[in-house]
Amino acid sequence: MPRYEFRCRACGDTFEVNRPMAEAGAPADCPQGHADTVKLLSTVAVTGRGGGSGSGGAPAGPVSGGGCCGGGCGC
């Protein structure tokens, strides 16, 4: 079941809620009882060596990162 991260606007507490994807946008109450919360955007990190890389197990090359256009212009 997916885990969603929320932050309480009243006390600043950050907490996680496990719920089905169908309820992803539903509001969540803070563990302290506050109702004014906002859902945070979370990132997913996958680590380890998997067998499905398609490159014979060789490590992947460097990934260009970020920026408004994927890092190609150096902005």
Side-chain angles (χ1 to χ4, degrees):
M1 188 169 306
R3 181 177 297 168
Y4 300 96
E5 191 173 20
F6 289 84
R7 175 170 292 136
C8 177
R9 291 181 180 167
C11 68
D13 191 21
T14 301
F15 58 97
E16 296 176 342
V17 176
N18 292 330
R19 58 171 58 157
M21 290 177 71
E23 298 175 18
D29 286 342
C30 167
Q32 304 297 322
H34 306 120
D36 189 14
T37 60
V38 63
K39 185 174 141 191
L40 302 176
L41 294 175
S42 300
T43 58
V44 176
V46 179
T47 60
R49 292 181 65 118
S53 67
S55 60
V63 177
S64 63
C68 60
C69 58
C73 66
C75 57

